Amino acid sequence: MANPSGEELREAVVVLAEQLGYGKLYDRLVRLNAFVSRRKPPTPEALADRLYTLTGGLRRQIAATIAFHSLWGEAFTRDLGEENDKALEALADRINAAITEDEKGVREGQSDELDAAIGEYERVLTAAIGPRAARIDMLLKAVNPVAERLRGRPLPEPASAPAKTSAGPEPDARE
């Protein structure tokens, strides 16, 4: 599994704080025994730095790592729905089929299939939970070859954004 960089974990904590509220996020982490101290860092970014140091970038299987993953899953998987969940599972199978057995590379001739499956997976997930959360969720679950490709891609546009921007200017153009 690929592990998030410090910057990616900061982004994840900020997104999670936006979803749950920063105070509630910290309280939940404390209740899940992620921290011994109840002294709350002043910002989500400071909390992320603390989590990164404590968990070794989510590499260590300790209470803080488990608490973070638990809260992340709770905050975002409830929005998926059964139909999206099935679609994502099928796309994950396509992605995994393109990865070598040792999960360190891409099977020969499967690069285009991998890129297409990653793109479709990200589109489905973005429609359900938004582009920032989708990218982070994918990075948290990805093996290194997939994470490298994700890090090189721009964030997708939210599904609703193009419709709003194209619908907005049209009345002005007709006047």
Side-chain angles (χ1 to χ4, degrees):
M1 297 271 292
N3 293 95
S5 67
E7 184 178 316
E8 290 165 345
L9 187 57
R10 265 186 237 103
E11 179 74 10
V13 171
V14 167
V15 168
L16 197 52
E18 289 170 357
Q19 181 77 9
L20 300 175
Y22 180 54
K24 185 176 179 181
L25 168 62
Y26 189 77
D27 290 344
R28 296 281 312 276
L29 286 168
V30 169
R31 275 186 266 150
L32 291 169
N33 297 318
F35 305 112
V36 176
S37 168
R38 289 198 173 268
R39 197 176 113 238
K40 182 168 73 172
T43 65
E45 292 84 0
L47 174 63
D49 292 342
R50 188 177 187 192
L51 268 173
Y52 190 84
T53 301
L54 182 63
T55 66
L58 300 180
R59 288 177 187 89
R60 295 185 191 122
Q61 289 301 311
I62 61 172
T65 303
I66 295 164
F68 172 81
H69 283 295
S70 177
L71 291 175
W72 181 268
E74 183 181 303
F76 293 106
T77 57
R78 70 174 181 256
D79 296 334
L80 289 179
E82 189 175 332
E83 187 177 310
N84 284 334
D85 196 37
K86 287 180 182 179
L88 291 172
E89 190 174 320
L91 290 164
D93 289 342
R94 282 179 48 199
I95 291 169
N96 291 334
I99 302 295
T100 58
E101 294 286 327
D102 63 3
E103 297 181 343
K104 292 183 180 178
V106 180
R107 293 182 192 273
E108 192 171 324
Q110 293 290 308
S111 186
D112 290 341
E113 171 61 20
L114 178 60
D115 287 335
I118 289 171
E120 185 59 29
Y121 189 104
E122 192 165 34
R123 278 189 290 283
V124 171
L125 197 54
T126 295
I129 66 174
R132 291 169 57 209
R135 177 61 56 89
I136 294 164
D137 190 68
M138 291 177 72
L139 284 169
L140 291 172
K141 296 174 183 173
V143 294
N144 285 326
V146 174
E148 290 170 13
R149 288 171 186 268
L150 283 169
R151 288 176 177 130
R153 297 167 69 113
L155 276 178
E157 292 291 321
S160 60
K164 288 179 183 175
T165 56
S166 64
E170 283 181 24
D172 296 335
R174 292 179 188 162
E175 291 178 3

